[in-house]
Amino acid sequence: MSPTPQRRATTAGALVAAAALLAVGIQTGTATADATASQAGTVAQANPGAANRALSASERATLLAEANSTTEQAARALGLAGTEKLIVRDVVKDADGTTHTTYERTYDGIPVLGGDLTVHAKGGVTKSVTKATNADIKVADTTAAVTPASAEGTALTSANAAGAKDAKAAKGARKVIWAAEGAPVLAFETVVGGLQHDGTPSELHVVTNAKTGAKITEWQAIETGVGNTMYSGQVTLGTSQSGSNFTLNDAGRGAHKTYDLNGGSGSGTGTLFTGPDDTWGTGAASSRETAGADAHYGAQLTWDYYKNVHGRNGLRNDGVAPYSRVHYGNAYVNAFWSDSCFCMTYGDGTGNTHPLTSIDVAAHEMTHGLTSVTGNMTYSGEPGGLNEATSDIMAAAVEFNANNANDVGDYLVGEKIDINGDGTPLRYMDKPSKDGGSKDAWYSGIGSIDVHYSSGPANHWYYLASEGSGAKVINGVSYNSPTSDNIPVAAIGREAASKIWFRALTAGYFKSNTNYAAARVATLQAAADLYGAGSATYNNTANAWAGINVGPRIVAGVSVTSPGNQNTVTGSAVSLQIQASSTNAGALSYAASGLPTGLSINSSTGLISGTASTAGTYNTTVTVTDSANQTGTASFVWTVGTSQQSVFENTTDYTIADNATVESPLPVNRTGNAPSTLKVDVNIVHTYVGDLRVDLVAPDGTVYNLRNRSGGSADNIVQSFTVNASSEVAAGTWKLRVADLASLDTGYINSWKLTF
């Protein structure tokens, strides 16, 4: 598993992800983490066009081939250096034709850990690009100062310090570019094999600086988890007949096979379960077939859930299944996923009497496989916690979807295996801290604890999003979920929460170093895709994150955009449209107080019109009421003068959200045309001005570009521009348009003015 971290999503020039590259512009205006309501909605109504579509093997092969044939053009369109190459990792296609093409990157032929990116395109137009890092990949010298043997020695030392057994360099140290954090550096990556302290196989990746020999980071590629024992009852399994015998080979689900390791702990597959009849196990651990039947059934349910609910045809969306291995080791109390074998492996538990092979553990481990080929979150720090939570979240979704009377859906992890010896679950999603180690909410040091505990806040988000806060009983289990800010969270429903998380994972919004803040942004993008930005589902997705101390709440109700202070000349006609929206469905009603004499507001449309007749200063307030009788207001000063004004200014703040476009309107009341020396003063507060394109938009829609992604990582734009606008009629609404073409850095338009 390669650690390719996410820093922020950036857009690049025109890129067609699958079929061809065309010189087209980026489409802006995609949903962002804190977008205000733009689409009313009260229930989670999925947009079928934004869902993944199951691909046949031939369709996927065609998409991959097309993407592979355009990697050089893609690299150029993204502005990558000539020494950088792209390698296609995956292509996902939505029902509406949108493709999400994920690439790995090399530099001078050297793999870049942290170079992954996903291009989101539709109809030959790139909508956005999600990148693991925004740093330029530049390394002055690719000659290592330390030897590969030295890097291997450092890796072995690190593994032994963690209690490894029989540690050895499974793969020789390979030269890489480490771009996960800070400036890219030349490094070595060494994979250490052997066993971990508890007998789990080891695939410890250790990255060391190739110039100094110092260890940079490490992570474990064997991803572990636990679940229930064999309590699914009598079920129907997908099997195959071979001559007079039957096998645990599910030909209808990608040829998923289940093998018996017979207590072995090596890398082999073991023996395929085979029998003279098509009846498997007895329901007791004493029958070796029982664990095989449980594991086979769990994989079957997970395959069906991903295909039938999310439209994904196997983990890699290629119609090919992983395989399962049971009876690993002796009294091994764990289960794990391994990328190297593309398989799930299960131990028999304490005393070899409690196989860890029930529905949720099978779904948990199989989901690690899905994550490895999609989001690929590194199995350490905050990304590791999110990786682990992804498996818990999808396992709960599979368990509920299975609707098995012997193992009903719940928000408990390991509730039947009794590892604690007192009948309590291993983990709780409604209040994770009940297990004594997991955390209920995010805090700055959460990345330093075990990933099974740092998964707690994300598991808690899933519960809050699915069911809401407070006390309730679900399938006979009592829950009582708090929030970190002590404010209730309304549910969006388990189906919506699951679809949002799945889309964030598979559409390329999760990347390999996604942390909690980035996960919030990713799920809100997914919620916008599926249910609309500003919908009740979108807002409550954000509020569930706020309930675990990640990001602000989005208040439901009416949002009114202030038009800014207005200036009018007596005798001049006025036309000012008030912009407002609500999270509640239905029509809006508009009213205004303090309007200048001669002006009025249309109660249905919000258009203020008329001719100002009396000079003076007016304190104006617009009130908007929605169908639920909730209100929102905007207040501003309206100055009516008797002579033509030369300076017009809007001092209202307008938030610049990630990957979105915002406009600040400025009504101008002047006769004649604008001058050839129209002065535009801009004051924009932002933490990375290289993300921004800034345009002046004339009343007739003509666009004058002021800045286009210049300035790099500098803060703020406080600058005067001169525009030849002599062809433009001065009167009308001018706009300052700011497009944020990247993620993580945000800001706002502080003020701007025109001087005629």
Side-chain angles (χ1 to χ4, degrees):
M1 184 171 67
S2 302
T4 45
Q6 172 173 336
R7 285 222 176 268
R8 61 195 195 168
T10 59
T11 53
L15 179 65
V16 177
L21 269 87
L22 304 173
V24 295
I26 296 297
Q27 294 181 340
T28 60
T30 53
T32 60
D34 297 304
T36 55
S38 62
Q39 177 178 335
T42 57
V43 296
Q45 183 62 48
N47 171 16
N52 291 157
R53 182 171 66 83
L55 301 176
S56 67
S58 61
E59 282 182 295
R60 185 171 187 273
T62 298
L63 286 173
L64 287 171
E66 290 172 339
N68 276 308
S69 71
T70 59
T71 54
E72 291 185 11
Q73 300 98 308
R76 288 197 298 271
L78 287 164
L80 304 185
T83 54
E84 297 179 73
K85 306 296 182 185
L86 293 176
I87 301 170
V88 179
R89 189 175 81 194
D90 189 29
V91 181
V92 173
K93 190 172 185 179
D94 292 347
D96 68 356
T98 301
T99 56
H100 310 273
T101 307
T102 298
Y103 301 88
E104 302 288 355
R105 202 180 335 181
T106 64
Y107 175 86
D108 199 19
I110 302 171
V112 179
L113 305 186
D116 56 314
L117 57 93
T118 301
V119 176
H120 314 280
K122 181 181 180 182
V125 178
T126 295
K127 298 171 68 177
S128 63
V129 181
T130 304
K131 300 176 78 173
T133 178
N134 197 45
D136 291 334
I137 307 300
K138 293 181 179 178
V139 177
D141 182 8
T142 58
T143 302
V146 298
T147 65
S150 175
E152 292 172 15
T154 300
L156 288 171
T157 298
S158 184
N160 288 326
K165 304 172 185 177
D166 302 321
K168 56 184 178 297
K171 299 177 182 177
R174 69 165 181 163
K175 191 184 293 185
V176 298
I177 304 297
W178 175 254
E181 297 173 320
V185 297
L186 187 69
F188 280 113
E189 179 193 25
T190 305
V191 179
V192 179
L195 299 175
Q196 299 178 49
H197 65 90
D198 65 349
T200 302
S202 175
E203 289 181 17
L204 181 69
H205 292 241
V206 181
V207 179
T208 52
N209 190 302
K211 296 294 186 181
T212 66
K215 187 177 81 171
I216 297 174
T217 190
E218 67 179 48
W219 69 94
Q220 181 59 250
I222 295 294
E223 297 162 2
T224 60
V226 296
N228 301 332
T229 56
M230 46 202 178
Y231 295 106
S232 294
Q234 189 175 57
V235 297
T236 300
L237 297 178
T239 61
S240 297
Q241 186 171 4
S242 177
S244 59
N245 287 322
F246 294 87
T247 61
L248 285 183
N249 177 1
D250 194 344
R253 296 179 177 87
H256 167 257
K257 301 178 179 67
T258 300
Y259 296 88
D260 184 354
L261 281 172
N262 294 294
S265 57
S267 59
T269 59
T271 304
L272 180 65
F273 277 98
T274 304
D277 54 39
D278 207 8
T279 300
W280 306 92
T282 63
S286 56
S287 168
R288 301 193 68 79
E289 289 183 351
T290 298
D294 281 338
H296 203 71
Y297 179 61
Q300 173 178 308
L301 292 174
T302 307
W303 176 283
D304 288 350
Y305 173 73
Y306 286 147
K307 186 170 185 178
N308 297 336
V309 176
H310 299 292
R312 191 169 182 92
N313 189 22
L315 302 185
R316 293 178 296 218
N317 209 21
D318 60 357
V320 178
Y323 62 88
S324 299
R325 307 187 303 173
V326 298
H327 301 307
Y328 173 89
N330 180 31
Y332 178 66
V333 190
N334 217 329
F336 60 88
W337 165 269
S338 173
D339 284 348
S340 61
C341 69
F342 200 65
C343 70
M344 296 83 71
T345 303
Y346 306 92
D348 285 327
T350 303
N352 293 316
T353 59
H354 296 79
L356 285 79
T357 50
S358 72
I359 295 172
D360 61 354
V361 70
H364 178 109
E365 301 309 335
M366 195 162 168
T367 299
H368 276 311
L370 175 65
T371 298
S372 74
V373 298
T374 54
N376 197 28
M377 289 88 80
T378 305
Y379 206 57
S380 65
E382 289 191 30
L386 291 164
N387 185 320
E388 189 64 24
T390 296
S391 284
D392 281 350
I393 287 168
M394 290 295 112
V398 169
E399 190 177 74
F400 273 104
N401 187 70
N403 196 29
N404 184 294
N406 292 280
D407 189 2
V408 298
D410 53 51
Y411 296 98
L412 308 174
V413 180
E415 70 273 14
K416 294 184 177 179
I417 196 170
D418 197 22
I419 285 181
N420 298 324
D422 57 5
T424 58
L426 187 64
R427 291 193 288 276
Y428 303 79
M429 301 183 87
D430 65 319
K431 193 175 189 301
S433 61
K434 287 194 291 187
D435 67 16
S438 295
K439 306 303 177 183
D440 294 335
W442 179 89
Y443 65 98
S444 60
I446 198 164
S448 64
I449 65 175
D450 183 272
V451 295
H452 295 87
Y453 296 146
S454 63
S455 64
N459 282 344
H460 193 191
W461 172 88
Y462 179 70
Y463 178 87
L464 288 171
S466 297
E467 305 293 347
S469 57
K472 51 184 61 70
V473 177
I474 303 166
N475 283 349
V477 179
S478 297
Y479 302 96
N480 193 355
S481 190
T483 60
S484 60
D485 55 6
N486 295 315
I487 301 174
V489 168
I492 65 174
R494 185 173 53 255
E495 179 181 357
S498 302
K499 287 183 175 179
I500 287 168
W501 196 272
F502 185 89
R503 181 163 179 82
L505 178 70
T506 58
Y509 302 145
F510 283 171
K511 308 306 291 181
S512 47
N513 83 327
T514 294
N515 58 20
Y516 269 92
R520 175 184 182 271
V521 173
T523 55
L524 286 176
Q525 178 65 69
D529 293 348
L530 294 169
Y531 305 107
S535 65
T537 301
Y538 179 95
N539 291 344
N540 286 324
T541 296
N543 293 341
W545 281 109
I548 63 164
N549 196 33
V550 180
R553 285 180 176 262
I554 297 178
V555 179
V558 180
S559 174
V560 185
T561 301
S562 173
N565 293 337
Q566 304 294 304
N567 294 278
T568 303
V569 178
T570 55
S572 297
V574 170
S575 179
L576 176 64
Q577 178 64 56
I578 299 299
Q579 302 291 336
S581 59
S582 175
T583 57
N584 298 309
L588 301 177
S589 176
Y590 299 81
S593 62
L595 284 172
T597 305
L599 304 185
S600 62
I601 189 169
N602 186 302
S603 62
S604 299
T605 66
L607 179 67
I608 297 175
S609 60
T611 300
S613 60
T614 305
T617 300
Y618 298 82
N619 295 313
T620 303
T621 298
V622 175
T623 301
V624 182
T625 305
D626 68 9
S627 60
N629 208 35
Q630 293 182 306
T631 61
T633 62
S635 298
F636 50 97
V637 176
W638 204 316
T639 302
V640 179
T642 57
S643 61
Q644 286 214 104
Q645 187 179 346
S646 296
V647 179
F648 298 83
E649 184 174 13
N650 189 338
T651 60
T652 301
D653 292 347
Y654 290 83
T655 299
I656 305 170
D658 287 335
N659 293 302
T661 298
V662 64
E663 293 181 342
S664 173
L666 185 57
V668 171
N669 288 284
R670 284 183 62 87
T671 60
N673 281 15
S676 61
T677 56
L678 178 64
K679 184 181 179 185
V680 187
D681 290 293
V682 174
N683 187 323
I684 295 173
V685 177
H686 199 276
T687 54
Y688 197 103
V689 298
D691 292 350
L692 304 180
R693 185 179 67 231
V694 183
D695 298 311
L696 174 69
V697 184
D700 67 355
T702 302
V703 177
Y704 297 87
N705 181 249
L706 306 179
R707 286 176 65 118
N708 190 10
R709 304 198 69 180
S710 60
S713 61
D715 293 342
N716 308 333
I717 300 175
V718 182
Q719 188 174 356
S720 295
F721 304 88
T722 300
V723 173
N724 183 354
S726 57
S727 63
E728 305 292 341
V729 174
T733 299
W734 296 70
K735 299 175 184 177
L736 185 70
R737 176 184 294 164
V738 181
D740 186 314
L741 303 176
S743 291
L744 292 189
D745 293 281
T746 57
Y748 60 94
I749 301 174
N750 187 33
S751 65
W752 73 289
K753 64 183 177 181
L754 294 175
T755 303
F756 288 82

